[in-house]
């Protein structure tokens, strides 16, 4: 088998699905329906779904989506060739396997991120039981990938030209607790930082002492706090409170003054009053997160929150989301304006011929999530190159600069 860029030329299409919130479910299903048309408009013989939606709704998907020729669970990706063969034989296979089990990470990877950055998944599953979240029931208990496998995979990625590693997991903070009986993220980071060729390491959370010690670790943290009202945090099953959040943020900004913080919030959680919402709004205004996303609460079947009383009207959820995002826009724009005059290291992502400018990312921007910096230059640069840039302007969420 070989990959093709044009789905119209594909014999087999595999769709990775998500079921974390309702919007993700709808998008996954719509992608399946959209790509199914290539059975008549192209040469498609087998359409296969994998990922969380397949794992959670295997019976419903096969029954209600006749367009599918097979499904594959989250722990069964190493059997994809067998599933493809059976689907082409008309057997309509399903291969789910049990969750809470890791596949070997020693399999050769096919990079789909352009080659200069790559995601490194350090663990699977979650042991927490937030009342709104389906991840533990879908993806199973927390399982860490052994450090030796991660180090080997990272070295192979570096040998292929990857310069930025983005560490991901449902929760990075407790990495190693199941294998080594203690949190081992600092040790893992030290080992990854020692790999030649890796320039940046980006992760969701980090111990500040490691971030200060290792120059390769980007001063960028994602802290999905979800809310700031103690009452709502307790209903969510979150193991923190407003004071602890403020203390942690103050500590991070004291220890690492140039740190960029991203967070995620939920509006309209069951029972959220106007007072709870206004408390969160004031929290956002006071803290001034450099990066922030907001989602209206999505009731997921099988979770305690979906059965709670005082469910909030959808329109109210969206109004509260929009109010936070309007405030955050002001915060973000002010932050971008404050960057003018700074000298930053930038990873080049590509070239925009119409703009006669290169597009890149600073340590403050994760790929596909945050903004970009646009650089006017007559020099020849390649994707993955690093360049020193002086920021000369800011437009909305993006920066403008020139090579130093």
């Amino acid at each position: 088998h070989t990959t093709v860029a044009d789905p119209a030329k594909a014999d087999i299409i595999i769709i990775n699905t998500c079921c974390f919130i309702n919007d993700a479910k709808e998008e996954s299903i719509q992608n399946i329906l959209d790509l199914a048309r290539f059975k008549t408009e192209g040469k498609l013989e087998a359409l296969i779904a994998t990922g969380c939606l397949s794992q959670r709704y295997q019976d419903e998907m096969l029954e209600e989506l006749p367009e599918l020729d097979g499904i594959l669970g989250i722990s069964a990706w190493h059997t994809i060739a067998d599933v493809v063969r059976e689907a082409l034989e008309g057997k309509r296979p399903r291969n789910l396997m049990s969750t809470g089990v890791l596949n070997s990470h020693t399999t050769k990877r096919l990079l789909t991120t352009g080659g200069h950055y790559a995601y490194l998944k350090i663990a699977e599953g979650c042991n927490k039981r937030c009342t709104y979240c389906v991840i533990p029931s879908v993806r199973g208990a927390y399982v860490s990938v052994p450090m030796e496998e991660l180090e080997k995979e990272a070295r192979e990625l570096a040998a292929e030209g990857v310069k930025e590693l983005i560490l991901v997991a449902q929760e990075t903070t407790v990495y190693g607790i199941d294998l080594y009986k203690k949190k081992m993220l600092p040790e893992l980071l030290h080992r990854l930082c020692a790999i030649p060729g890796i320039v940046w390491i980006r992760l969701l959370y980090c111990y500040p002492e490691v971030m200060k010690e290792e120059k390769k670790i980007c001063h960028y943290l994602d802290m999905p706090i979800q809310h700031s009202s103690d009452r709502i945090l307790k209903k969510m099953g979150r193991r923190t409170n407003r004071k602890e959040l403020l203390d942690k943020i103050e500590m991070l900004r004291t220890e690492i003054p140039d740190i960029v913080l991203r967070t995620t919030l939920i509006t309209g959680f069951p029972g959220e009053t106007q007072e709870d919402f206004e408390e969160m709004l004031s929290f956002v205004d006071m803290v001034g997160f450099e990066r922030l996303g907001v989602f209206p609460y999505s009731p997921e079947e099988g979770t305690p929150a979906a059965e709670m009383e005082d469910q909030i009207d959808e329109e109210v959820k969206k109004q509260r989301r929009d109010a936070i995002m309007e405030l955050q826009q002001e915060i973000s724009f002010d932050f971008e304006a404050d960057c003018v005059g700074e000298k930053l290291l930038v990873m080049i992502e590509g070239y925009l011929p119409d703009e006669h400018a290169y597009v890149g990312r600073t340590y403050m921007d994760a790929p596909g999530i945050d903004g970009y910096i646009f650089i006017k230059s007559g020099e020849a640069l390649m994707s993955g190159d690093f360049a020193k840039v002086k920021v000369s302007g800011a437009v909305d969420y993006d920066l403008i600069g020139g090579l130093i």
Side-chain angles (χ1 to χ4, degrees):
H1 303 87
T2 57
T3 57
V4 292
D6 184 357
K9 297 179 181 178
D11 300 299
I12 304 140
I13 292 178
I14 303 160
I15 302 171
N16 195 20
T17 63
C18 178
C19 69
F20 184 58
I21 58 176
N22 192 59
D23 287 351
K25 294 180 194 173
E26 292 179 357
E27 183 179 352
S28 296
I29 292 169
Q30 191 58 53
N31 276 327
I32 291 170
L33 298 176
D34 289 345
L35 289 167
R37 77 179 192 272
F38 291 109
K39 290 187 175 182
T40 55
E41 297 178 13
K43 51 186 294 189
L44 182 61
E45 297 181 44
L47 182 61
I48 297 168
T50 184
C52 293
L53 197 68
S54 299
Q55 185 76 33
R56 191 178 187 198
Y57 297 108
Q58 50 180 294
D59 294 331
E60 294 93 331
M61 288 182 72
L62 288 176
E63 180 179 342
E64 298 178 17
L65 292 170
E67 296 85 355
L68 285 176
D69 300 293
I71 60 172
L72 195 70
I74 60 171
S75 299
W77 54 262
H78 63 293
T79 67
I80 185 62
D82 294 332
V83 171
V84 165
R85 186 186 68 252
E86 291 179 24
L88 292 174
E89 293 172 355
K91 295 181 180 178
R92 211 171 185 229
R94 71 168 82 188
N95 194 349
L96 279 300
M97 303 186 68
S98 60
T99 58
V101 177
L102 282 176
N103 289 308
S104 171
H105 276 233
T106 58
T107 305
K108 180 72 173 177
R109 284 182 58 173
L110 176 67
L111 283 178
T112 59
T113 51
H116 49 285
Y117 71 89
Y119 294 92
L120 186 68
K121 191 160 193 179
I122 66 172
E124 181 62 88
C126 183
N127 290 338
K128 291 184 177 177
R129 292 293 185 269
C130 297
T131 59
Y132 55 85
C133 185
V134 299
I135 285 176
S137 61
V138 175
R139 305 194 77 90
Y142 194 89
V143 186
S144 303
V145 180
M147 276 194 286
E148 293 75 18
E149 289 191 17
L150 291 172
E151 187 175 3
K152 179 177 183 294
E153 185 176 359
R155 289 186 181 279
E156 291 174 351
L157 291 170
E160 292 184 34
V162 169
K163 298 177 182 178
E164 178 182 12
L165 289 177
I166 305 171
L167 273 58
V168 292
Q170 271 71 50
E171 185 182 5
T172 58
T173 56
V174 296
Y175 170 77
I177 198 75
D178 54 319
L179 288 180
Y180 310 107
K181 308 309 175 188
K182 62 178 180 177
K183 297 177 181 179
M184 292 292 282
L185 182 60
E187 172 65 22
L188 173 63
L189 289 170
H190 286 309
R191 291 172 69 162
L192 295 178
C193 285
I195 297 174
I198 299 299
V199 180
W200 280 353
I201 295 177
R202 190 181 300 274
L203 67 165
L204 298 184
Y205 188 80
C206 177
Y207 299 88
E209 61 270 23
V210 180
M211 185 172 278
K212 288 195 298 183
E213 290 173 12
E214 296 286 3
K215 293 183 179 180
K216 292 185 178 183
I217 301 177
C218 295
H219 291 180
Y220 173 106
L221 295 181
D222 191 329
M223 302 172 58
I225 65 172
Q226 313 303 358
H227 215 284
S228 63
S229 161
D230 287 348
R231 194 178 71 85
I232 297 299
L233 287 168
K234 186 175 181 180
K235 290 189 71 175
M236 286 179 166
R238 304 288 291 177
R239 302 175 186 178
T240 189
N241 58 48
R242 180 187 176 94
K243 184 181 184 306
E244 289 174 350
L245 292 172
L246 287 173
D247 289 346
K248 184 178 292 185
I249 291 166
E250 182 181 6
M251 179 271 292
L252 287 168
R253 286 182 166 159
T254 300
E255 294 287 325
I256 309 169
D258 65 341
I259 197 166
V260 168
L261 298 179
R262 161 174 278 285
T263 196
T264 307
L265 300 172
I266 296 173
T267 56
F269 190 80
E272 182 189 63
T273 64
Q274 183 66 22
E275 182 180 355
D276 293 323
F277 167 69
E278 289 176 0
E279 182 178 330
M280 181 160 60
L281 199 64
S282 68
F283 185 90
V284 170
D285 191 28
M286 175 175 59
V287 171
F289 290 100
E290 289 80 9
R291 311 283 187 246
L292 183 146
V294 187
F295 298 91
Y297 167 71
S298 174
E300 297 301 319
E301 58 186 289
T303 62
E307 304 300 322
M308 289 180 181
E309 297 181 356
D310 300 324
Q311 296 287 328
I312 307 297
D313 182 77
E314 287 297 324
E315 193 59 35
V316 173
K317 296 179 191 177
K318 293 176 182 177
Q319 288 173 356
R320 292 177 178 177
R321 173 201 60 191
D322 293 345
I324 291 179
M325 286 310 300
E326 185 176 346
L327 170 61
Q328 180 60 30
Q329 187 178 57
E330 296 178 15
I331 295 170
S332 296
F333 289 1
D334 288 344
F335 171 71
E336 300 298 329
D338 289 342
C339 290
V340 175
E342 290 191 19
K343 297 176 182 179
L344 300 170
L345 185 64
V346 171
M347 174 183 273
I348 302 300
E349 290 281 358
Y351 184 71
L352 301 175
D354 294 342
E355 303 291 333
H356 302 290
Y358 289 96
V359 58
R361 288 185 294 111
T362 72
Y363 78 91
M364 303 181 289
D365 304 299
I369 301 175
D370 301 315
Y372 293 98
I373 182 166
F374 297 92
I375 308 141
K376 296 280 187 179
S377 173
E379 294 187 29
L381 300 171
M382 299 291 292
S383 295
D385 285 350
F386 280 87
K388 277 288 189 73
V389 175
K390 183 174 182 179
V391 181
S392 58
V395 179
D396 296 338
Y397 296 100
D398 300 316
L399 299 175
I400 300 169
L403 289 184
I404 298 174

